[in-house]
Amino acid sequence: MRLENKVALITGAASGMGASMARIFAGEGAKVVVADVLEDEGKGVVADITRANGAAMFYRLDVADEAQWKAAVDAALAAYNRLDILVNDAGLSGSAVEDLFDAAAWDRLMAVNARGVFLGMKFAIPVMKAQGGGAIINISSISGITGQHGVHVGYNASKGAVRTLTKAAAVQHGADNIRINSVHPGLMPPMRSSGRTADPEVRAAMLRQVPMGRAGRPEEVANAVLFLASEEASYITGAELWVDGGYLAT
Ligand code: NAD
């Protein structure tokens, strides 16, 4: 098993790609902290994992809240004694907002998508450093590299921030044996918070821009994250991995 004896905290793990990561990581032997604001869904993911003889716990975490982050990392340590892997996956879409320059939406997108990742690293890195190493994977997007229509500009800005704060932290903590990388999914099943980009016509138009001609499946991103979390990626840090069916190569 690729994550035997590892402890992983995954935010946004109640749904979508994060839930897929939680199941796959547990199947590879990790003890998983499923962290999310969605309690029922998160507990459902934990139940699935334990039914399959895996180890997992749910922790209710709003990633924009600094005090909650500290408590979540403390809870992971109390339950499992260590923290080897952090996946910052929680996120909000920018495609449900009408005004693409709405200031309140900017603040919310930056709070969850960028500040949430920053805070996760703030509390996980000292623990990993004391343990002698770790792996952090931050979920950005193709929107962190390029622009598109119909999405609040704050979504792209927040995902671009994830890309560069990943590189900055990787540079600063390479010597601590903490590897920090970003993953950039392309067109995936809609997010819970998606608006216009969940519309079938809009999706069909977006699909025409994907060289592979189809949307990605959550497990295709989860498996890329698994690779970066595992020892197979032992010399990879500060990198960005596009999982987008070729979208960014066009
Ligand atoms: P999703 O909506 O199914 O999952 C996102 C999860 O984040 C949800 O469980 C939600 O409850 C949680 N979340 C939202 N705000 C939170 C907060 N403040 N604190 C804690 N948890 C919170 O969407 P998904 O498609 O699985 O998205 C996962 C990640 O991938 C996100 O960061 C998203 O921006 C990114 N992404 C998605 C797509 C896509 O097309 N779906 C494409 C590229 C990148």
Side-chain angles (χ1 to χ4, degrees):
M1 289 202 281
R2 293 157 76 185
L3 299 181
E4 204 155 14
N5 300 321
K6 303 283 189 194
V7 176
L9 190 155
I10 306 174
T11 70
S15 174
M17 293 185 255
S20 178
M21 291 169 209
R23 293 191 180 96
I24 288 175
F25 278 31
E28 291 291 343
K31 298 183 179 77
V32 180
V33 181
V34 171
D36 205 295
V37 284
L38 295 177
E39 203 151 339
D40 290 347
E41 291 84 347
K43 286 179 175 166
V45 172
V46 169
D48 289 347
I49 290 172
T50 45
R51 252 196 310 276
N53 294 323
M57 62 176 270
F58 175 74
Y59 191 88
R60 194 194 177 284
L61 166 67
D62 176 349
V63 295
D65 185 306
E66 183 167 7
Q68 289 187 30
W69 254 117
K70 184 179 182 323
V73 171
D74 286 348
L77 293 175
Y80 298 133
N81 289 318
R82 48 188 300 116
L83 182 59
D84 303 285
I85 300 160
L86 169 67
V87 185
N88 284 306
D89 168 80
L92 289 180
S93 157
S95 72
V97 196
E98 209 45 55
D99 175 1
L100 302 189
F101 271 91
D102 181 75
W106 167 276
D107 290 345
R108 188 69 192 138
L109 287 163
M110 293 304 281
V112 174
N113 296 358
R115 177 181 156 90
V117 174
F118 160 77
L119 289 175
M121 295 203 293
K122 169 173 174 155
F123 290 102
I125 285 172
V127 175
M128 291 176 175
K129 187 174 174 175
Q131 281 171 193
I136 299 177
I137 300 96
N138 296 324
I139 306 303
S140 177
S141 170
I142 50 174
S143 309
I145 310 277
T146 188
Q148 70 260 85
H149 292 288
V151 174
H152 191 288
V153 294
Y155 185 73
N156 300 74
S158 66
K159 292 298 186 180
V162 170
R163 174 175 178 265
T164 44
L165 72 86
T166 297
K167 292 183 194 303
V171 168
Q172 292 171 14
H173 295 284
D176 299 322
N177 193 33
I178 303 172
R179 297 183 299 99
I180 310 176
N181 295 290
S182 60
V183 167
H184 300 251
L187 184 65
M188 302 299 296
M191 298 171 69
R192 283 171 182 267
S193 49
S194 290
R196 284 172 295 278
T197 51
D199 179 280
E201 266 178 42
V202 174
R203 283 183 69 80
M206 289 164 74
L207 264 181
R208 286 195 284 278
Q209 299 174 53
V210 180
M212 287 186 75
R214 65 169 177 85
R217 295 184 291 271
E219 66 272 20
E220 292 178 308
V221 171
N223 281 321
V225 174
L226 167 65
F227 165 66
L228 289 171
S230 76
E231 286 306 310
E232 292 153 34
S234 55
Y235 197 52
I236 301 178
T237 195
E240 54 192 74
L241 181 50
W242 305 345
V243 186
D244 68 351
Y247 181 94
L248 288 173
T250 59

